[in-house]
Amino acid sequence: MKNELVIVLDFGGQYNQLVARRVRECNVYCEIYSYKTDIEKIKAMNPKGIILTGGPNSCYEAGAPTYTKELFELGIPVLGLCYGAQLMMFVLGGEVKSAPVREYGKTEVLIDKAESKLFAGVPASTICWMSHFDYISRIAPGFEISAHTKDCPVATAENEEKALYAIQFHPEVLHTQDGTKIINNFVKTVCGCTGDWKMDAFVEETIQAIREKVGDGKVLCALSGGVDSSVAAVLIAKAIGSQLTCVFVDHGLLRKDEGDEVEAVFGANGSYNLNFIRVNAQERFYAKLAGVEEPEAKRKIIGEEFIRVFEEEAKKIGAVDFLVQGTIYPDVVESGLGGESAVIKSHHNVGGLPDYVNFKEIIEPLRDLFKDEVRKAGLELGIPEHLVFRQPFPGPGLGIRIVGEVTAEKVRMIQDADAIYREEIATAGLDKEINQYFAALTNMRSVGVMGDERTYDYAVVLRGVNTIDFMTAEAAQIPYEVLGKVMSRIINEVKGVNRVFYDLTSKPPGTIEFE
C-alpha cells in the first residue's frame, strides 16, 4: 500500500538510493526526485515527509543546487542530510562556511538534546559517518543545536515546532551505528507514518493493477531467467495467465549452460505454465558487437537488438499490446530517470531504446522495488528459493564482463572461467556468504610460460563483493586457498588465459560490475 509517501530530493548525493532504501526498511514507501522538481508537484504528491540528500557542492556558491524557502513552509517535516542540512540552514538564514577541519569517516557524535524526537533510543554518544568539507557555522533563527562532534559544532540542528531537522552526518549508511533508528524516528515519530507498506500488499495490488491495465490485451514478456525478469514473469502470469507470452532471447552472452537451464525451468516441461519461446540469436548479437569496445555502446547495441528481436517475435505471435520488462528501482535511478545524480549506466530495459518501439506500452511491474524487495516479492509469489536467490546478472550479460570487443571465443573463455569460479565458491561453502561473485575477462594480454612454451594470453579478473543493498559494496575476503585453487583450475582448463587477478575495489569508487 502506498497511502503514505516520503520523498527524497536528490542534490547529487552518492547515497540517494540508500536513503530511500532505509526509509523502506521502516515499511514506509519512498521515491527519489530531482531537486529541480517543481514545488507544485511536491504539493500534489502530498508526502508525509521530505528528505534532502547530500551532494558534492557548496550551497553558498553561485549556481549550486538549491530550493526555494517555500519548501520549508509547507507544514511537511523536512530532514536535511549533509549538503541538505547545510542548504536548509543557508536558505533559512543561517551561515555555512568552508570547514577549518574536514571530517571524513567514522566520527563520535555527542547528543546535546536527549529529548529530541530524532534521537529517541539513541545513546548520548554514538558513531556516525561524516563526509563534508563545509560546516554550519551559524544555525538559522528558530533552530537549536541538538548534537555536535569534536570538530563540528553543529552535527544536528532542529526546529521541533516546524518539524525541520538538519543532520551533518549520513544516517543512511551502515557505518552510522544508530542510523536506521534515527531515520525510523523521523518517518514514524516526526512524520507520523504508520508503516503499512508490506510486500504481500504490494503483490496483491500489483496483480490487480496489471489486470485492470491489460484488460483483454496480449502481453509479451522479456524473460532472461534472472531474478528480476523471472519475478516479473510470474507476477504477470498470476495476473493474466494465457494472455502472456514469454520470449527468452539467448544472445550468446549468458553464463555457461544457462540457456538450457532457463528453458528447463520455464519451458514446456517447467512448472509455471507459461507460453515460452526461446530465440537462439547468438550469432546475430556477436555480429552487431563486432569491433565495439566502449561499454556504454555495447549496452545500447544489446538493448536495441533485444527490442528488434521482440518486435520480430511479436509479429509472429500476432497483435501484442504490451511489453513487460524486469526494470527495478536502481535501474531507474542510475539511468537518470529518478533523481539528480550522474547517469552511471544505461540498461536495455530503461535506457538506449529507439523511439520507434512497436508496442502500445511497456509494463514494468518491479520498477518501484530494490533488489532485496524483488526477492521478497518472489518468495511471496511462491517462486522456489534457489531461483529467487540466484546470483545477480546484468541484462547485457557477459557483453559487459568482457572488456573490449566481444567475440565468440572470448565468451567461451569467460563462460568457462566463471563456471570454475562459481563451482569452487560453492564447494568451499561460500556461495551463501558472498553476495555477488563472477569472473570477467580483461582486454590485457601478457606473456606467460606453460610447460616448455611461452604464451601470450588474456588475464581473467575475479570479482566478489559483500553488500546489503547493492548501493555500496566491499570486496569479499575470500580465503587465499580458494582463490589459489580457482586460479590453478582456470589457467589449466581455460584455453587462452594465463593470468588471474582478484579485484579488491569497493563501491564506491568502483561499480560492482567489471566493465
Side-chain angles (χ1 to χ4, degrees), residues 412-442:
R412 190 269 309 161
M413 280 189 273
I414 201 56
Q415 282 180 333
D416 289 347
D418 183 70
I420 290 170
Y421 184 33
R422 288 187 289 119
E423 181 183 327
E424 291 300 333
I425 289 293
T427 299
L430 300 173
D431 52 321
K432 297 293 192 300
E433 296 180 18
I434 306 172
N435 298 111
Q436 186 169 350
Y437 53 93
F438 58 86
L441 186 68
T442 74

Side-chain angles (χ1 to χ4, degrees), residues 5 15 59 66-67 69 100 108 114 131 170 174 184 237 255 271 300 305 312 320 330 345 350 369 380 457 488 504:
L5 170 67
Y15 301 132
C59 64
T66 189
Y67 211 95
K69 188 178 179 181
E108 182 184 25
S131 178
H170 289 277
L174 293 177
N184 188 74
R255 288 168 286 208
S271 56
K300 290 183 177 180
E305 201 59 20
E312 292 168 12
V320 174
K345 55 189 174 181
V350 293
L369 302 186
E380 191 70 32
D457 289 330
S488 179
L504 290 171

Side-chain angles (χ1 to χ4, degrees), residues 156-473:
T156 307
E158 61 181 68
N159 183 328
E160 183 177 348
E161 182 183 353
K162 294 185 178 180
L164 303 177
Y165 295 83
I167 297 181
Q168 184 59 71
F169 55 87
H170 289 277
E172 70 272 21
V173 303
L174 293 177
H175 302 299
T176 296
Q177 289 179 350
D178 297 288
T180 299
K181 190 174 294 182
I182 291 169
I183 291 176
N184 188 74
N185 286 340
F186 177 71
V187 298
K188 297 283 184 64
T189 306
V190 177
C191 299
C193 295
T194 57
D196 61 356
W197 193 67
K198 304 287 177 62
M199 193 49 62
D200 56 349
F202 169 83
V203 168
E204 183 179 332
E205 290 178 4
T206 302
I207 289 173
Q208 183 59 37
I210 291 168
R211 284 179 184 147
E212 292 176 2
K213 176 184 280 290
V214 172
D216 59 358
K218 290 187 178 181
V219 180
L220 181 63
C221 178
L223 179 61
S224 71
V227 176
D228 302 336
S229 70
S230 295
V231 173
V234 175
L235 191 60
I236 299 292
K238 293 268 189 183
I240 60 170
S242 60
Q243 293 167 244
L244 170 66
T245 297
C246 289
V247 174
F248 167 55
V249 177
D250 188 343
H251 50 24
L253 303 170
L254 300 170
R255 288 168 286 208
K256 189 173 183 178
D257 300 326
E258 194 162 46
D260 294 337
E261 292 171 3
V262 170
E263 185 169 9
V265 172
F266 291 99
N269 297 321
S271 56
Y272 292 103
N273 194 32
L274 300 173
N275 297 317
F276 181 85
I277 297 173
R278 178 174 179 175
V279 182
N280 292 311
Q282 296 92 331
E283 297 306 320
R284 176 171 172 172
F285 278 84
Y286 294 159
K288 286 283 186 180
L289 291 167
V292 180
E293 297 188 358
E294 205 273 318
E296 191 68 7
K298 289 192 288 186
R299 283 180 178 271
K300 290 183 177 180
I301 287 170
I302 294 168
E304 289 190 17
E305 201 59 20
F306 256 96
I307 294 298
R308 299 285 75 76
V309 172
F310 287 132
E311 284 182 333
E312 292 168 12
E313 291 305 315
K315 290 175 183 176
K316 295 177 187 177
I317 295 166
V320 174
D321 303 292
F322 299 91
L323 173 67
V324 176
Q325 294 178 334
T327 311
I328 65 174
Y329 202 49
D331 297 342
V332 174
V333 176
E334 292 187 355
S335 298
L337 304 178
E340 187 58 29
S341 299
V343 175
I344 298 171
K345 55 189 174 181
S346 69
H347 296 250
H348 70 267
N349 51 3
V350 293
L353 301 182
D355 295 330
Y356 48 91
V357 178
N358 292 325
F359 300 94
K360 178 180 177 182
E361 191 175 345
I362 291 177
I363 300 177
E364 297 168 314
L366 307 177
R367 70 177 284 122
D368 290 338
L369 302 186
F370 288 97
K371 176 69 76 172
D372 60 326
E373 293 171 330
V374 173
R375 297 188 196 279
K376 289 178 183 176
L379 295 175
E380 191 70 32
L381 287 163
I383 301 175
E385 284 195 19
H386 73 275
L387 290 180
V388 171
F389 291 99
R390 192 173 194 168
Q391 276 283 301
F393 193 62
L398 298 178
I400 59 169
R401 291 182 181 174
I402 295 173
V403 179
E405 183 184 16
V406 174
T407 66
E409 179 63 10
K410 286 184 178 180
V411 170
R412 190 269 309 161
M413 280 189 273
I414 201 56
Q415 282 180 333
D416 289 347
D418 183 70
I420 290 170
Y421 184 33
R422 288 187 289 119
E423 181 183 327
E424 291 300 333
I425 289 293
T427 299
L430 300 173
D431 52 321
K432 297 293 192 300
E433 296 180 18
I434 306 172
N435 298 111
Q436 186 169 350
Y437 53 93
F438 58 86
L441 186 68
T442 74
N443 204 23
M444 185 190 87
R445 300 181 73 183
S446 63
V447 173
V449 179
M450 301 183 74
D452 295 325
E453 296 183 359
R454 289 166 66 85
T455 61
Y456 186 63
D457 289 330
Y458 287 94
V460 160
V461 171
L462 304 179
R463 184 79 163 129
V465 299
N466 287 327
T467 177
I468 290 178
D469 43 44
F470 292 86
M471 303 300 113
T472 60

